[in-house]
Amino acid sequence: MSNSGPDDTDTGAAERGADHAPESDPADRGGGDPSEPTDQSTSAAQHGSRVERLHLSVPGMDCPSCAGKVERSVDTLAGVSRIDPQPTTGRLTVDYDPDTTTPADVRERVEKAGYEIEGGPVTETFSVPDMDCASCAGKVENALAGVDGIAEYDTRPTSGTVVVSYDGDQIGAADIVAAIENAGYDVTDTTTEGGSEGGAEPTSVWRSRRAMNTWASAGLTLVGLLVQFLVTGLDAVLLSLPGIAISVADGLFLVAVAIGGQAILRNGYYSLRNRNLDIDLLMSVAILGALAASLLFGQELYMEAATLAVLFSVAQLLERRSMDEARNSLRELMELSPDEATVRRDGEELVVPADELQVGDVVVVKPGEKIPTDGQVLEGASAVNQAPITGESVPVDKQPGDEVYAGTINEEGYLEVQVTAAASEDTLSQVIELVEDAQGNKTEREQFVERFASYYTPIVVAAAVLTAAVPPLLFGAPAATWFVYGLTLIVLSCPCAFVISTPVTVVSGITSGAKNGVLVKGGNHLEAMGGVEAIALDKTGTLTKGELTVTDVVPLGGRTKDEVLACARGLESRSEHPIGEAVIAEAEQAGVEKPTVSAFESITGKGVRAKLDESVHYAGKPGLFESLGFDLSHVHATTDGGVVMAKAEAQCERAGCLDLLAETVPQLQAEGKTVVLVGTEDELEGLVAVADEVRPEAAATVDRLHDLGIQHVTMLTGDNERTAATIAEQVGVDDYRAELLPAEKVAAVEELAERYEGVAMVGDGVNDAPALAAATVGIAMGAAGTDTALETADIALMGDDLSRLPYLYELSNEANRVIRQNIWASLGAKALLALGVPFGLVPIWAAVLVGDAGLTMAVTGNAMRLANIEPEELTE
């Protein structure tokens, strides 16, 4: 049993501002009979209140002290009203408010107290391709709500999947499949968090069983129409009953209903059983109503019933096809990773499933092949196309020691890659998982639409009943005519196109962004990004490259550039300072040999000293050489290095005279550079300047953001005022804040939030995490392969490319526009059609094909346009 101290608390809970009761007896936290059975590990709603009860098995909680520790840990959660730990049985019962706390939160607190939960939750994804609208999802939700042992479920009609977390000790996947199928939907595939449990290739919607039935029904309906209106001589009476005569055409229509209406009536039955007022139930009522009016009251609405069955089935097939198009964008992400990999084991090359790769395996990747998982290059060199992950348009050169990502493509060379992440934990898997999870984060508009739809359908159904009943009963209008008008309104009462308009746009936007190296972790973040008015940019690693490089080398006293670099390389070779790394990299690139180094010594706060080939040399700040007695106001450059001062040259007869202290060093520092002097005790040999270079696309990115409508762009940095001012001027931000501590960055973001409608903060996702959390939208740069950045940010720019930021804003802005278009277009079209029904302007076929299938296809097609937005390549 592993126990941790009582101070192991969840700061996230504290940050939510919850007030918690002090440690007390379990009975004091909400009462209850201590003898109440607790041998169920399930979450059960307490009807009539907003309290749910969770039972957990915690075998390691076997003493009062353990129980107290677990109780204190769980007590930190907001919304927990009662905790009853029973060390004698190892059971824990928790009552909680589901609006503020989830079973997953409770489990996490128990684990943070140092105890394992037996039979923990299983999270499984079920593929339900026929669940392609909000009403379908509602039926599945109603079915799952009645299954004991399910902790959480999330229906995703836009991807045709249901994610369920359940207690594996109490129920299994088969129970959940049965519940979904009892709701009227087939489950074609199940996938647990670690792998797959069977599945089938998706069948074309046009070759499905329902499609075959639809075509047969359509054929019979067409023949019936020909017999009834064109070949009337064949329309003999088949059956004659008192008040009813069924002709050949009527018989064909009835058979058409029997074949084409099977799926409709079956789904309508499940809707009724689950008390779900949706399009399947409404269409079932319409078809059965038409048949009842014909068979019982002699209204002869057989043709209308057959037409409804055929047209609605065609509409459903069209909707399914249109949703498949939306789902394909996510499917393409999943297909980026290869199914197989060539791995070297025990000296042999074996082809194995990619999901069987283990950390430490060495995989062989030949030219043109996809890299199967995240890893590090051991041998070989090649250009790798990282566009599927980072969105970079130009392949990146890879050499031994470099990182590579799953799903990227080896363009030309041979590579041996050591696996560094399991198949389910690599960068591509994280991207796919986050994109799938993003569907669960609903936008404000989506929540509004769902609330509106809950009122819309009952109101229109009521109007349909009144339309069918009132005119015939009160005004003597033709009953058959107004009955058909009522059926037409019932068809229009389904809000499917209206409800699906937002989620299908969110899926399209998120998957489009993922393909271009931008990972949006929820529709709410996509919506929020489109509404920001101000953007705060961190300097180091965001506006700049985050790596020091040598920008200037000025030889002095007759030395050459290579001699200065050789001296600087030797002195910095034993330094761990980033300046030293920059000098060494520059010297290596120039092919400068490293001298023999001995007697290395660091001079605190000033520089370093060492023997280079038996001669003592120094490297450091100008103050170091002033202390050695040098006159830095009068030195001579071998070349001008771009920094020779005219004033200094006028004071000296020799060309190349420099005043380092008054002019050269201050000028370089004003450009945001750090200056290092190199020399001996007797002679200055040269000057090296290093800087964190501004990204070449930074200035163009800021300009593009302004062009797109961002009102204010600011730079936040912990760097000094002089450097910050220089960088700010170079990139063209509206203002900057320098010398900020992390808490001061948070304050700066909050101040911006008071002045502007929304604020986005862009940083590295690690050091800037507090500021990212304080912003309306937190955006992490260069997140590929960085778990922390993927977890902390709302949006992650996978590549190290700032030009993706304007693309993100443009994508989000356009997504918001498309959502508005879809909502108002679908609502307006429904309203116009409904208003035209009582005037006989809208036939029932138009209500089905235009008001249902047509609108769904229109909003889906409009949403798919987001895939056409592509990032611009921004450079100076």
mmCIF file of all heavy atoms in Angstrom, residues 436-474:
data_model
loop_
_atom_site.group_PDB
_atom_site.id
_atom_site.type_symbol
_atom_site.label_atom_id
_atom_site.label_comp_id
_atom_site.label_asym_id
_atom_site.label_seq_id
_atom_site.Cartn_x
_atom_site.Cartn_y
_atom_site.Cartn_z
ATOM 1 N N GLU A 436 -11.121 14.201 -31.446
ATOM 2 C CA GLU A 436 -12.374 13.488 -31.150
ATOM 3 C C GLU A 436 -13.026 14.055 -29.889
ATOM 4 O O GLU A 436 -14.237 14.279 -29.844
ATOM 5 C CB GLU A 436 -12.105 11.995 -30.981
ATOM 6 C CG GLU A 436 -11.736 11.296 -32.278
ATOM 7 C CD GLU A 436 -11.482 9.817 -32.077
ATOM 8 O OE1 GLU A 436 -10.840 9.456 -31.067
ATOM 9 O OE2 GLU A 436 -11.914 9.028 -32.919
ATOM 10 N N ASP A 437 -12.217 14.285 -28.859
ATOM 11 C CA ASP A 437 -12.756 14.807 -27.604
ATOM 12 C C ASP A 437 -13.299 16.224 -27.781
ATOM 13 O O ASP A 437 -14.193 16.649 -27.042
ATOM 14 C CB ASP A 437 -11.678 14.810 -26.514
ATOM 15 C CG ASP A 437 -11.328 13.400 -26.058
ATOM 16 O OD1 ASP A 437 -12.103 12.479 -26.367
ATOM 17 O OD2 ASP A 437 -10.273 13.232 -25.418
ATOM 18 N N ALA A 438 -12.721 16.948 -28.757
ATOM 19 C CA ALA A 438 -13.133 18.345 -28.953
ATOM 20 C C ALA A 438 -14.612 18.462 -29.287
ATOM 21 O O ALA A 438 -15.234 19.492 -29.037
ATOM 22 C CB ALA A 438 -12.296 18.991 -30.071
ATOM 23 N N GLN A 439 -15.201 17.389 -29.857
ATOM 24 C CA GLN A 439 -16.615 17.442 -30.216
ATOM 25 C C GLN A 439 -17.499 17.562 -28.977
ATOM 26 O O GLN A 439 -18.634 18.017 -29.057
ATOM 27 C CB GLN A 439 -17.005 16.188 -30.987
ATOM 28 C CG GLN A 439 -16.225 16.013 -32.280
ATOM 29 C CD GLN A 439 -16.533 14.671 -32.918
ATOM 30 O OE1 GLN A 439 -17.678 14.311 -33.097
ATOM 31 N NE2 GLN A 439 -15.513 13.921 -33.244
ATOM 32 N N GLY A 440 -16.985 17.137 -27.837
ATOM 33 C CA GLY A 440 -17.785 17.183 -26.615
ATOM 34 C C GLY A 440 -17.862 18.565 -25.999
ATOM 35 O O GLY A 440 -18.713 18.817 -25.146
ATOM 36 N N ASN A 441 -16.965 19.481 -26.406
ATOM 37 C CA ASN A 441 -16.972 20.841 -25.864
ATOM 38 C C ASN A 441 -17.869 21.714 -26.732
ATOM 39 O O ASN A 441 -17.453 22.205 -27.772
ATOM 40 C CB ASN A 441 -15.540 21.411 -25.830
ATOM 41 C CG ASN A 441 -14.651 20.614 -24.909
ATOM 42 O OD1 ASN A 441 -15.118 20.053 -23.935
ATOM 43 N ND2 ASN A 441 -13.376 20.563 -25.229
ATOM 44 N N LYS A 442 -19.101 21.889 -26.318
ATOM 45 C CA LYS A 442 -20.084 22.567 -27.158
ATOM 46 C C LYS A 442 -19.916 24.074 -27.113
ATOM 47 O O LYS A 442 -19.623 24.650 -26.074
ATOM 48 C CB LYS A 442 -21.500 22.185 -26.716
ATOM 49 C CG LYS A 442 -21.811 20.706 -26.891
ATOM 50 C CD LYS A 442 -23.214 20.375 -26.452
ATOM 51 C CE LYS A 442 -23.496 18.882 -26.644
ATOM 52 N NZ LYS A 442 -24.864 18.518 -26.210
ATOM 53 N N THR A 443 -20.157 24.703 -28.269
ATOM 54 C CA THR A 443 -20.109 26.152 -28.344
ATOM 55 C C THR A 443 -21.368 26.734 -27.704
ATOM 56 O O THR A 443 -22.362 26.043 -27.493
ATOM 57 C CB THR A 443 -20.027 26.628 -29.805
ATOM 58 O OG1 THR A 443 -21.267 26.320 -30.461
ATOM 59 C CG2 THR A 443 -18.895 25.923 -30.550
ATOM 60 N N GLU A 444 -21.313 28.035 -27.439
ATOM 61 C CA GLU A 444 -22.490 28.696 -26.867
ATOM 62 C C GLU A 444 -23.661 28.642 -27.846
ATOM 63 O O GLU A 444 -24.815 28.458 -27.442
ATOM 64 C CB GLU A 444 -22.148 30.143 -26.524
ATOM 65 C CG GLU A 444 -21.175 30.287 -25.357
ATOM 66 C CD GLU A 444 -20.916 31.738 -25.009
ATOM 67 O OE1 GLU A 444 -21.598 32.610 -25.599
ATOM 68 O OE2 GLU A 444 -20.059 32.009 -24.160
ATOM 69 N N ARG A 445 -23.373 28.786 -29.130
ATOM 70 C CA ARG A 445 -24.439 28.724 -30.136
ATOM 71 C C ARG A 445 -25.063 27.336 -30.184
ATOM 72 O O ARG A 445 -26.275 27.195 -30.357
ATOM 73 C CB ARG A 445 -23.888 29.112 -31.509
ATOM 74 C CG ARG A 445 -23.522 30.582 -31.642
ATOM 75 C CD ARG A 445 -23.133 30.920 -33.066
ATOM 76 N NE ARG A 445 -22.799 32.321 -33.206
ATOM 77 C CZ ARG A 445 -21.576 32.817 -33.065
ATOM 78 N NH1 ARG A 445 -20.581 32.001 -32.776
ATOM 79 N NH2 ARG A 445 -21.342 34.103 -33.206
ATOM 80 N N GLU A 446 -24.217 26.302 -30.052
ATOM 81 C CA GLU A 446 -24.737 24.937 -30.084
ATOM 82 C C GLU A 446 -25.663 24.686 -28.899
ATOM 83 O O GLU A 446 -26.719 24.050 -29.037
ATOM 84 C CB GLU A 446 -23.569 23.945 -30.069
ATOM 85 C CG GLU A 446 -23.982 22.509 -30.289
ATOM 86 C CD GLU A 446 -22.786 21.588 -30.439
ATOM 87 O OE1 GLU A 446 -21.639 22.087 -30.440
ATOM 88 O OE2 GLU A 446 -23.001 20.377 -30.546
ATOM 89 N N GLN A 447 -25.292 25.195 -27.737
ATOM 90 C CA GLN A 447 -26.145 25.034 -26.562
ATOM 91 C C GLN A 447 -27.468 25.786 -26.744
ATOM 92 O O GLN A 447 -28.532 25.296 -26.359
ATOM 93 C CB GLN A 447 -25.408 25.532 -25.322
ATOM 94 C CG GLN A 447 -24.168 24.693 -24.980
ATOM 95 C CD GLN A 447 -23.375 25.293 -23.843
ATOM 96 O OE1 GLN A 447 -23.929 25.636 -22.811
ATOM 97 N NE2 GLN A 447 -22.076 25.428 -24.011
ATOM 98 N N PHE A 448 -27.398 26.974 -27.357
ATOM 99 C CA PHE A 448 -28.624 27.729 -27.631
ATOM 100 C C PHE A 448 -29.530 26.970 -28.591
ATOM 101 O O PHE A 448 -30.755 26.884 -28.388
ATOM 102 C CB PHE A 448 -28.279 29.100 -28.220
ATOM 103 C CG PHE A 448 -29.413 29.734 -28.975
ATOM 104 C CD1 PHE A 448 -30.489 30.294 -28.296
ATOM 105 C CD2 PHE A 448 -29.425 29.740 -30.365
ATOM 106 C CE1 PHE A 448 -31.548 30.865 -28.992
ATOM 107 C CE2 PHE A 448 -30.473 30.297 -31.064
ATOM 108 C CZ PHE A 448 -31.536 30.865 -30.383
ATOM 109 N N VAL A 449 -28.928 26.402 -29.641
ATOM 110 C CA VAL A 449 -29.709 25.676 -30.643
ATOM 111 C C VAL A 449 -30.431 24.492 -30.012
ATOM 112 O O VAL A 449 -31.609 24.232 -30.289
ATOM 113 C CB VAL A 449 -28.795 25.205 -31.795
ATOM 114 C CG1 VAL A 449 -29.482 24.153 -32.643
ATOM 115 C CG2 VAL A 449 -28.389 26.389 -32.659
ATOM 116 N N GLU A 450 -29.734 23.763 -29.141
ATOM 117 C CA GLU A 450 -30.353 22.604 -28.510
ATOM 118 C C GLU A 450 -31.514 23.021 -27.602
ATOM 119 O O GLU A 450 -32.546 22.342 -27.538
ATOM 120 C CB GLU A 450 -29.306 21.810 -27.737
ATOM 121 C CG GLU A 450 -28.301 21.113 -28.648
ATOM 122 C CD GLU A 450 -27.295 20.283 -27.884
ATOM 123 O OE1 GLU A 450 -27.298 20.349 -26.635
ATOM 124 O OE2 GLU A 450 -26.519 19.563 -28.525
ATOM 125 N N ARG A 451 -31.348 24.132 -26.906
ATOM 126 C CA ARG A 451 -32.451 24.620 -26.067
ATOM 127 C C ARG A 451 -33.643 25.039 -26.929
ATOM 128 O O ARG A 451 -34.796 24.739 -26.619
ATOM 129 C CB ARG A 451 -31.981 25.809 -25.206
ATOM 130 C CG ARG A 451 -31.029 25.430 -24.082
ATOM 131 C CD ARG A 451 -30.876 26.584 -23.105
ATOM 132 N NE ARG A 451 -30.373 27.798 -23.731
ATOM 133 C CZ ARG A 451 -29.088 28.106 -23.842
ATOM 134 N NH1 ARG A 451 -28.166 27.279 -23.375
ATOM 135 N NH2 ARG A 451 -28.717 29.236 -24.408
ATOM 136 N N PHE A 452 -33.348 25.722 -28.019
ATOM 137 C CA PHE A 452 -34.409 26.171 -28.916
ATOM 138 C C PHE A 452 -35.148 24.980 -29.522
ATOM 139 O O PHE A 452 -36.390 24.978 -29.614
ATOM 140 C CB PHE A 452 -33.820 27.042 -30.022
ATOM 141 C CG PHE A 452 -34.834 27.547 -31.003
ATOM 142 C CD1 PHE A 452 -35.517 28.729 -30.766
ATOM 143 C CD2 PHE A 452 -35.109 26.841 -32.163
ATOM 144 C CE1 PHE A 452 -36.465 29.201 -31.667
ATOM 145 C CE2 PHE A 452 -36.054 27.301 -33.062
ATOM 146 C CZ PHE A 452 -36.731 28.484 -32.821
ATOM 147 N N ALA A 453 -34.391 23.965 -29.927
ATOM 148 C CA ALA A 453 -34.996 22.791 -30.575
ATOM 149 C C ALA A 453 -35.957 22.066 -29.642
ATOM 150 O O ALA A 453 -36.937 21.475 -30.089
ATOM 151 C CB ALA A 453 -33.912 21.844 -31.060
ATOM 152 N N SER A 454 -35.673 22.118 -28.342
ATOM 153 C CA SER A 454 -36.539 21.428 -27.381
ATOM 154 C C SER A 454 -37.928 22.059 -27.321
ATOM 155 O O SER A 454 -38.897 21.414 -26.907
ATOM 156 C CB SER A 454 -35.893 21.436 -25.994
ATOM 157 O OG SER A 454 -35.821 22.755 -25.475
ATOM 158 N N TYR A 455 -38.040 23.314 -27.732
ATOM 159 C CA TYR A 455 -39.337 23.987 -27.788
ATOM 160 C C TYR A 455 -39.928 23.928 -29.204
ATOM 161 O O TYR A 455 -41.147 23.873 -29.373
ATOM 162 C CB TYR A 455 -39.208 25.459 -27.377
ATOM 163 C CG TYR A 455 -38.794 25.649 -25.933
ATOM 164 C CD1 TYR A 455 -37.488 25.963 -25.598
ATOM 165 C CD2 TYR A 455 -39.731 25.522 -24.901
ATOM 166 C CE1 TYR A 455 -37.108 26.145 -24.280
ATOM 167 C CE2 TYR A 455 -39.367 25.705 -23.575
ATOM 168 C CZ TYR A 455 -38.047 26.007 -23.275
ATOM 169 O OH TYR A 455 -37.684 26.177 -21.974
ATOM 170 N N TYR A 456 -39.061 23.957 -30.196
ATOM 171 C CA TYR A 456 -39.501 24.051 -31.595
ATOM 172 C C TYR A 456 -40.374 22.860 -32.000
ATOM 173 O O TYR A 456 -41.488 23.033 -32.516
ATOM 174 C CB TYR A 456 -38.265 24.150 -32.500
ATOM 175 C CG TYR A 456 -38.552 23.996 -33.973
ATOM 176 C CD1 TYR A 456 -38.958 25.082 -34.744
ATOM 177 C CD2 TYR A 456 -38.418 22.767 -34.610
ATOM 178 C CE1 TYR A 456 -39.221 24.942 -36.094
ATOM 179 C CE2 TYR A 456 -38.677 22.618 -35.965
ATOM 180 C CZ TYR A 456 -39.080 23.706 -36.699
ATOM 181 O OH TYR A 456 -39.342 23.568 -38.035
ATOM 182 N N THR A 457 -39.913 21.653 -31.754
ATOM 183 C CA THR A 457 -40.643 20.463 -32.216
ATOM 184 C C THR A 457 -42.033 20.343 -31.587
ATOM 185 O O THR A 457 -43.019 20.156 -32.320
ATOM 186 C CB THR A 457 -39.809 19.199 -31.967
ATOM 187 O OG1 THR A 457 -38.583 19.287 -32.704
ATOM 188 C CG2 THR A 457 -40.564 17.955 -32.413
ATOM 189 N N PRO A 458 -42.164 20.436 -30.270
ATOM 190 C CA PRO A 458 -43.522 20.331 -29.708
ATOM 191 C C PRO A 458 -44.475 21.400 -30.242
ATOM 192 O O PRO A 458 -45.657 21.128 -30.478
ATOM 193 C CB PRO A 458 -43.284 20.502 -28.203
ATOM 194 C CG PRO A 458 -41.867 20.098 -27.986
ATOM 195 C CD PRO A 458 -41.151 20.536 -29.216
ATOM 196 N N ILE A 459 -43.957 22.615 -30.447
ATOM 197 C CA ILE A 459 -44.816 23.705 -30.933
ATOM 198 C C ILE A 459 -45.317 23.405 -32.354
ATOM 199 O O ILE A 459 -46.506 23.558 -32.659
ATOM 200 C CB ILE A 459 -44.065 25.054 -30.889
ATOM 201 C CG1 ILE A 459 -43.871 25.499 -29.434
ATOM 202 C CG2 ILE A 459 -44.813 26.126 -31.681
ATOM 203 C CD1 ILE A 459 -43.001 26.723 -29.275
ATOM 204 N N VAL A 460 -44.417 22.960 -33.218
ATOM 205 C CA VAL A 460 -44.804 22.677 -34.605
ATOM 206 C C VAL A 460 -45.724 21.460 -34.668
ATOM 207 O O VAL A 460 -46.665 21.413 -35.471
ATOM 208 C CB VAL A 460 -43.558 22.481 -35.492
ATOM 209 C CG1 VAL A 460 -43.966 22.154 -36.928
ATOM 210 C CG2 VAL A 460 -42.697 23.740 -35.489
ATOM 211 N N VAL A 461 -45.471 20.440 -33.831
ATOM 212 C CA VAL A 461 -46.356 19.273 -33.790
ATOM 213 C C VAL A 461 -47.759 19.691 -33.357
ATOM 214 O O VAL A 461 -48.777 19.248 -33.927
ATOM 215 C CB VAL A 461 -45.794 18.188 -32.845
ATOM 216 C CG1 VAL A 461 -46.831 17.101 -32.601
ATOM 217 C CG2 VAL A 461 -44.533 17.573 -33.432
ATOM 218 N N ALA A 462 -47.819 20.545 -32.360
ATOM 219 C CA ALA A 462 -49.130 21.044 -31.920
ATOM 220 C C ALA A 462 -49.820 21.806 -33.054
ATOM 221 O O ALA A 462 -51.038 21.656 -33.277
ATOM 222 C CB ALA A 462 -48.956 21.947 -30.707
ATOM 223 N N ALA A 463 -49.042 22.600 -33.799
ATOM 224 C CA ALA A 463 -49.606 23.335 -34.934
ATOM 225 C C ALA A 463 -50.098 22.370 -36.006
ATOM 226 O O ALA A 463 -51.131 22.618 -36.653
ATOM 227 C CB ALA A 463 -48.549 24.276 -35.516
ATOM 228 N N ALA A 464 -49.372 21.255 -36.196
ATOM 229 C CA ALA A 464 -49.789 20.257 -37.190
ATOM 230 C C ALA A 464 -51.121 19.622 -36.812
ATOM 231 O O ALA A 464 -52.009 19.430 -37.664
ATOM 232 C CB ALA A 464 -48.705 19.186 -37.317
ATOM 233 N N VAL A 465 -51.282 19.303 -35.529
ATOM 234 C CA VAL A 465 -52.543 18.706 -35.058
ATOM 235 C C VAL A 465 -53.695 19.681 -35.267
ATOM 236 O O VAL A 465 -54.783 19.316 -35.747
ATOM 237 C CB VAL A 465 -52.420 18.297 -33.585
ATOM 238 C CG1 VAL A 465 -53.775 17.836 -33.045
ATOM 239 C CG2 VAL A 465 -51.379 17.193 -33.424
ATOM 240 N N LEU A 466 -53.478 20.942 -34.915
ATOM 241 C CA LEU A 466 -54.523 21.952 -35.090
ATOM 242 C C LEU A 466 -54.850 22.167 -36.564
ATOM 243 O O LEU A 466 -56.017 22.355 -36.934
ATOM 244 C CB LEU A 466 -54.076 23.272 -34.446
ATOM 245 C CG LEU A 466 -53.947 23.261 -32.917
ATOM 246 C CD1 LEU A 466 -53.364 24.578 -32.434
ATOM 247 C CD2 LEU A 466 -55.311 23.000 -32.271
ATOM 248 N N THR A 467 -53.825 22.146 -37.405
ATOM 249 C CA THR A 467 -54.036 22.330 -38.843
ATOM 250 C C THR A 467 -54.885 21.208 -39.420
ATOM 251 O O THR A 467 -55.778 21.446 -40.256
ATOM 252 C CB THR A 467 -52.679 22.384 -39.581
ATOM 253 O OG1 THR A 467 -51.922 23.493 -39.091
ATOM 254 C CG2 THR A 467 -52.870 22.529 -41.078
ATOM 255 N N ALA A 468 -54.627 19.972 -38.983
ATOM 256 C CA ALA A 468 -55.380 18.828 -39.509
ATOM 257 C C ALA A 468 -56.796 18.771 -38.956
ATOM 258 O O ALA A 468 -57.719 18.283 -39.640
ATOM 259 C CB ALA A 468 -54.631 17.534 -39.176
ATOM 260 N N ALA A 469 -57.025 19.279 -37.753
ATOM 261 C CA ALA A 469 -58.327 19.087 -37.095
ATOM 262 C C ALA A 469 -59.257 20.290 -37.186
ATOM 263 O O ALA A 469 -60.466 20.142 -37.433
ATOM 264 C CB ALA A 469 -58.091 18.731 -35.626
ATOM 265 N N VAL A 470 -58.743 21.485 -36.973
ATOM 266 C CA VAL A 470 -59.616 22.658 -36.830
ATOM 267 C C VAL A 470 -60.381 23.014 -38.106
ATOM 268 O O VAL A 470 -61.617 23.150 -38.075
ATOM 269 C CB VAL A 470 -58.806 23.865 -36.305
ATOM 270 C CG1 VAL A 470 -59.648 25.134 -36.342
ATOM 271 C CG2 VAL A 470 -58.313 23.587 -34.894
ATOM 272 N N PRO A 471 -59.724 23.190 -39.264
ATOM 273 C CA PRO A 471 -60.499 23.589 -40.457
ATOM 274 C C PRO A 471 -61.622 22.608 -40.815
ATOM 275 O O PRO A 471 -62.755 23.044 -41.087
ATOM 276 C CB PRO A 471 -59.430 23.676 -41.557
ATOM 277 C CG PRO A 471 -58.172 23.975 -40.819
ATOM 278 C CD PRO A 471 -58.281 23.204 -39.539
ATOM 279 N N PRO A 472 -61.375 21.281 -40.828
ATOM 280 C CA PRO A 472 -62.492 20.376 -41.151
ATOM 281 C C PRO A 472 -63.597 20.409 -40.104
ATOM 282 O O PRO A 472 -64.790 20.351 -40.449
ATOM 283 C CB PRO A 472 -61.822 19.000 -41.215
ATOM 284 C CG PRO A 472 -60.385 19.279 -41.466
ATOM 285 C CD PRO A 472 -60.117 20.549 -40.731
ATOM 286 N N LEU A 473 -63.248 20.476 -38.827
ATOM 287 C CA LEU A 473 -64.252 20.398 -37.779
ATOM 288 C C LEU A 473 -65.051 21.681 -37.629
ATOM 289 O O LEU A 473 -66.271 21.653 -37.386
ATOM 290 C CB LEU A 473 -63.584 20.040 -36.447
ATOM 291 C CG LEU A 473 -62.970 18.636 -36.353
ATOM 292 C CD1 LEU A 473 -62.260 18.460 -35.018
ATOM 293 C CD2 LEU A 473 -64.049 17.567 -36.537
ATOM 294 N N LEU A 474 -64.392 22.831 -37.754
ATOM 295 C CA LEU A 474 -65.073 24.097 -37.517
ATOM 296 C C LEU A 474 -65.580 24.774 -38.783
ATOM 297 O O LEU A 474 -66.573 25.498 -38.751
ATOM 298 C CB LEU A 474 -64.137 25.058 -36.773
ATOM 299 C CG LEU A 474 -63.686 24.624 -35.365
ATOM 300 C CD1 LEU A 474 -62.858 25.724 -34.722
ATOM 301 C CD2 LEU A 474 -64.892 24.292 -34.482
#
